[in-house]
Amino acid sequence: MSNIQFSTDDQKVLESIMQHRRDVRGNRFIDQDVADEAIEQLLLAALHAPSVGFSQPWEFVLVRDSETKAQIAASFNEENDKAIAQFQDAKQKEYVRLKLEGIREAPVNIAVFYKPSLGPVLGQTSMEEVGRYSVVCAVQNMWLMARAMNIGMGWVSILDPQKVKTILGAPERNELIAYLCVGYVDEFLPRPELEILQWEKRKALQSVVYTEAYDK
Ligand SMILES: Cc1cc2nc3c(=O)[nH]c(=O)nc-3n(C[C@H](O)[C@H](O)[C@H](O)COP(=O)(O)O)c2cc1C
């Protein structure tokens, strides 16, 4: 069982899940609850992510309460107003039309925290940031598992992390890595919404790959 070999069909399923995973925002979530068992399945997927030195430096806060969501959404609104000011002219007009979160529309929000280790961690002694990268691996596992369960997930990063920590009563040394909105959707878009809306294009492979070194 441990040396399980996957088939070409399995690879195609994984590829399909990866290609059809979408960031889901409030314009897509429907009014349908997500059962605790399904949320647990997502969290178990997170727990199988790789982590530096097997440190598993993640903690999760599940939020269903509408008052808590309203407080988080207020932080989004404040931060988004600051974001709008960073774009100019036509780009700013485009930006204000984007829906960039689904905090209140999603039945479940999941805040994902990095809990730094108190002592040295195997593998994390030169690059301190790899602890945070481990938490991002856990988020990606959840995102793919959610898509495999036909559940939408959106990552909201336009937030004041300190305010989110205060709202959720997080320990001071924990760091907010991701704020996720989870729920069923009316549809999964075929391509990233930001691509459909012509905000960005997907990069071609040859534009990001160098052979042997950058300057060759
Ligand atoms: C670290 C990270 C932060 C993100 N933050 C936001 C966000 O604050 N608001 C938002 O609408 N989308 C956010 N996204 C989603 C991206 O916009 C999305 O992944 C990208 O447009 C590609 O679309 P897709 O995920 O549907 O393929 C974030 C994604 C990542 C990986």
Side-chain angles (χ1 to χ4, degrees):
M1 190 66 186
S2 60
N3 189 30
I4 184 169
Q5 297 287 308
F6 294 106
S7 66
T8 313
D9 283 348
D10 294 330
Q11 291 161 30
K12 284 190 181 134
V13 171
L14 178 59
E15 191 178 37
S16 183
I17 292 166
M18 290 192 292
Q19 287 179 357
H20 293 97
R21 181 209 50 77
R22 290 277 76 82
D23 185 80
V24 174
R25 308 182 175 96
N27 49 347
R28 296 263 81 88
F29 287 118
I30 58 170
D31 188 14
Q32 183 184 337
D33 198 17
V34 181
D36 290 342
E37 294 73 24
I39 297 297
E40 190 175 317
Q41 207 171 329
L42 298 182
L43 295 169
L44 287 172
L47 265 50
H48 281 90
S51 63
V52 63
F54 200 31
S55 56
Q56 305 158 77
W58 38 62
E59 287 185 334
F60 307 86
V61 180
L62 309 181
V63 177
R64 286 181 177 276
D65 180 65
S66 54
E67 176 47 35
T68 309
K69 286 179 189 169
Q71 289 179 40
I72 303 281
S75 174
F76 171 84
N77 288 333
E78 257 179 56
E79 294 301 310
N80 204 40
D81 285 346
K82 292 184 212 163
I84 290 167
Q86 292 181 38
F87 295 91
Q88 307 299 320
D89 308 321
K91 211 67 183 164
Q92 188 181 66
K93 284 204 179 80
E94 272 179 62
Y95 184 95
V96 293
R97 280 198 282 267
L98 299 172
K99 174 77 173 158
L100 295 173
E101 51 78 38
I103 297 163
R104 279 160 300 192
E105 296 88 344
V108 183
N109 294 180
I110 306 177
V112 187
F113 287 91
Y114 169 50
K115 180 183 184 178
S117 181
L118 292 174
V121 172
L122 184 158
Q124 197 179 350
T125 43
S126 300
M127 293 172 61
E128 198 268 324
E129 63 275 22
V130 292
R132 294 176 192 86
Y133 298 166
S134 305
V135 182
V136 176
C137 291
V139 173
Q140 179 70 344
N141 267 16
M142 294 168 77
W143 220 338
L144 294 174
M145 179 55 85
R147 185 61 188 90
M149 295 165 71
N150 300 309
I151 292 172
M153 178 177 285
W155 185 325
V156 188
S157 52
I158 306 165
L159 292 168
D160 178 335
Q162 199 52 48
K163 283 197 180 145
V164 174
K165 279 179 66 173
T166 304
I167 294 164
L168 301 180
E172 191 42 48
R173 72 192 178 94
N174 281 18
E175 216 176 280
L176 180 71
I177 298 295
Y179 194 87
L180 306 171
C181 302
V182 179
Y184 292 99
V185 300
D186 58 355
E187 73 165 314
F188 285 97
L189 295 175
R191 292 184 293 132
E193 193 171 21
L194 292 184
E195 188 176 57
I196 293 169
L197 298 173
Q198 298 181 341
W199 182 271
E200 283 290 355
K201 290 192 189 106
R202 188 175 298 287
K203 292 180 179 173
L205 190 59
Q206 67 270 22
S207 73
V208 292
V209 178
Y210 298 82
T211 305
E212 307 302 347
Y214 262 97
D215 57 355
K216 292 196 181 135

